């Protein structure tokens, strides 16, 4: 995190913020080692459950509660899932940025085909 008490600009490169969050979580963790790693990965399930709760709340699906969330709440919960996954990936190793970029390129090519660079 920033020394000035303000969050870094994560829009340009989210991995700097992910590294800061990873360091902060490691400094404040209750469990280390394999148990800490497993708990960090399991945190994803909790966050995905919050997405489901927000979708149910945004659609008013629970008649006892009615509409309790907005679609902006769903977006925020989805962002929490992405952040939690990125931190978990970083917890598995310091090369998370490269692992993610390589995997994203592989999924993109598999889905969209090889990228062609326009010729000048």
């Amino acid at each position: 995190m920033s020394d000035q008490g303000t969050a870094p600009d994560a829009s340009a490169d989210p991995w700097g913020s992910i590294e800061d969050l990873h360091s902060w979580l490691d400094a404040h963790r209750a469990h280390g080692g394999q148990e800490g790693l497993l708990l960090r990965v399991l945190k994803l399930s909790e966050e995905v459950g919050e997405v489901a709760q927000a979708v149910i709340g945004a659609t008013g699906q629970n008649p006892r509660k009615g509409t309790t969330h907005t679609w902006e709440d769903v977006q925020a919960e989805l962002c929490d899932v992405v952040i939690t996954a990125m931190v978990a990936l970083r917890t598995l190793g310091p090369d998370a940025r490269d692992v993610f970029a390589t995997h994203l390129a592989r999924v993109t090519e598999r889905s969209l085909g090889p990228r062609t660079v326009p010729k000048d």
Side-chain angles (χ1 to χ4, degrees), residues 116-120:
T116 57
V117 178
K119 296 180 182 177
D120 290 335

Side-chain angles (χ1 to χ4, degrees), residues 66-101:
T67 301
T68 58
H69 291 75
T70 65
W71 288 105
E72 289 79 17
D73 294 328
V74 175
Q75 289 175 333
E77 296 299 345
L78 286 168
C79 289
D80 287 348
V81 170
V82 172
I83 293 165
T84 302
M86 291 174 80
V87 170
L89 182 61
R90 169 55 187 91
T91 300
L92 289 172
D95 59 343
R97 175 194 307 251
D98 294 334
V99 169
F100 181 78

Side-chain angles (χ1 to χ4, degrees), residues 1 4 10 15 23-24 26 28-29 39 44 47 51 60 62 72 74 76-77 80 101 104 108 113 115 119:
M1 303 282 177
Q4 307 303 321
W15 287 104
S23 296
W24 177 77
D26 273 0
H28 295 89
R29 68 180 174 207
L39 289 169
L44 278 166
E47 295 298 340
V51 172
N62 184 337
E72 289 79 17
V74 175
E77 296 299 345
D80 287 348
L104 179 59
T108 301
R115 296 287 191 179
K119 296 180 182 177

Side-chain angles (χ1 to χ4, degrees), residues 13-29:
D13 179 15
W15 287 104
S17 293
I18 295 303
E19 187 65 38
D20 290 345
L21 289 167
H22 172 263
S23 296
W24 177 77
L25 286 167
D26 273 0
H28 295 89
R29 68 180 174 207

